[in-house]
């Protein structure tokens, strides 16, 4: 079994891509980072970056446990991880065979996040969120682009269509491993 990590910034296309790949490839299992709560999870990303952007601060034991459970069961060809850190977390790095980074420009990711997460909020709430993004959160997105992108085995242009991104990842999985 091969483990493929799909990374991107928040709203960069990880979850959509993983779901699409799962539908197109036989004998695949998936795990989604956002389905877990982790000890050590960062609340203040601005301070996290100022403190050195340590990806090992997250205790990813619950995710590691599920990866091992699937690997030990031996009943799938591929495990696809919706996982933002590629090889940057030591706890999970050893399980990843291939890391793919979807390089989605920050303006597109921000627009997607607003459209996805803020459908029923007021204009003032959106403006407040945008101020927080500019003052505190954007620095973490930029940090991910500095750290995760170069640590990945493959980088895919996040401005491409979801169909194109999905097909490229399937090709990487089929011939790149």
């Amino acid at each position: 079994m091969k483990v493929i990590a799909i990374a991107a910034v928040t709203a960069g296309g990880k979850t959509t891509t993983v779901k699409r790949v799962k539908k197109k490839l036989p004998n695949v299992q998936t795990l989604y980072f956002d389905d877990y709560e982790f000890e050590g999870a960062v609340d203040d990303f601005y301070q996290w970056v100022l403190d050195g952007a340590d990806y090992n601060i997250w205790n990813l034991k619950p995710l590691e446990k599920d990866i091992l459970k699937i690997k030990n069961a031996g009943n799938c060809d591929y495990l696809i991880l919706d996982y933002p850190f590629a090889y940057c977390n030591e706890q999970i790095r050893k399980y990843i065979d291939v890391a793919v980074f979807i390089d989605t420009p920050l303006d597109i990711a921000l627009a997607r996040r607003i459209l996805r997460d803020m459908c029923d909020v007021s204009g003032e709430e959106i403006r407040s969120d945008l101020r927080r993004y500019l003052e505190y959160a954007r620095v973490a997105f930029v940090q991910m682009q500095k750290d995760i992108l170069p640590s990945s085995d493959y980088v895919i242009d996040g401005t491409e269509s979801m169909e194109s991104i999905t097909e490229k990842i399937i090709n990487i999985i089929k011939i790149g491993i």
Side-chain angles (χ1 to χ4, degrees):
M1 180 190 78
K2 300 293 184 184
V3 178
I4 298 91
I6 309 297
V9 297
T10 299
K14 294 180 301 294
T15 302
T16 301
T17 301
V18 169
K19 287 178 180 178
R20 292 174 66 101
V21 168
K22 184 178 184 176
K23 285 182 182 179
K24 292 190 173 234
L25 281 180
N27 211 18
V28 170
Q29 290 201 37
T30 55
L31 293 173
Y32 299 88
F33 187 82
D34 289 344
D35 288 346
Y36 296 88
E37 289 191 27
F38 299 111
E39 185 179 304
V42 173
D43 291 322
D44 184 344
F45 285 95
Y46 183 77
Q47 190 61 49
W48 172 75
V49 171
L50 291 179
D51 291 342
D54 181 5
Y55 295 90
N56 295 305
I57 199 166
W58 280 265
N59 179 350
L60 303 181
K61 196 70 172 164
L63 176 61
E64 181 180 34
K65 180 181 171 189
D66 286 348
I67 290 169
L68 287 171
K69 182 178 175 183
I70 291 169
K71 282 181 79 85
N72 292 335
N75 57 4
C76 68
D77 294 326
Y78 305 105
L79 171 57
I80 314 290
L81 302 178
D82 171 340
Y83 174 68
F85 301 151
Y87 296 112
C88 289
N89 179 283
E90 291 173 15
Q91 197 171 3
I92 301 301
R93 172 188 314 154
K94 58 191 167 210
Y95 303 110
I96 298 172
D97 294 296
V98 172
V100 179
F101 185 80
I102 303 170
D103 187 15
T104 305
L106 296 185
D107 62 325
I108 293 173
L110 177 61
R112 285 180 184 166
R113 189 178 62 78
I114 290 170
L115 292 169
R116 178 190 71 196
D117 299 343
M118 305 187 86
C119 296
D120 299 322
V121 301
S122 70
E124 184 50 42
E125 289 171 297
I126 292 171
R127 285 187 292 281
S128 176
D129 184 75
L130 290 172
R131 282 190 289 276
R132 273 191 310 278
Y133 171 81
L134 289 172
E135 292 178 34
Y136 301 108
R138 186 177 183 281
V139 67
F141 288 76
V142 170
Q143 190 67 45
M144 284 189 68
Q145 288 180 317
K146 288 178 184 175
D147 298 335
I148 307 301
L149 184 150
S151 78
S152 297
D153 299 304
Y154 297 91
V155 177
I156 295 177
D157 183 352
T159 64
E160 293 185 30
S161 70
M162 289 311 299
E163 293 79 19
S164 176
I165 291 170
T166 302
E167 288 306 314
K168 285 183 178 187
I169 291 176
I170 288 170
N171 287 336
I172 289 167
I173 292 169
K174 286 183 175 178
I175 61 174
I177 300 179

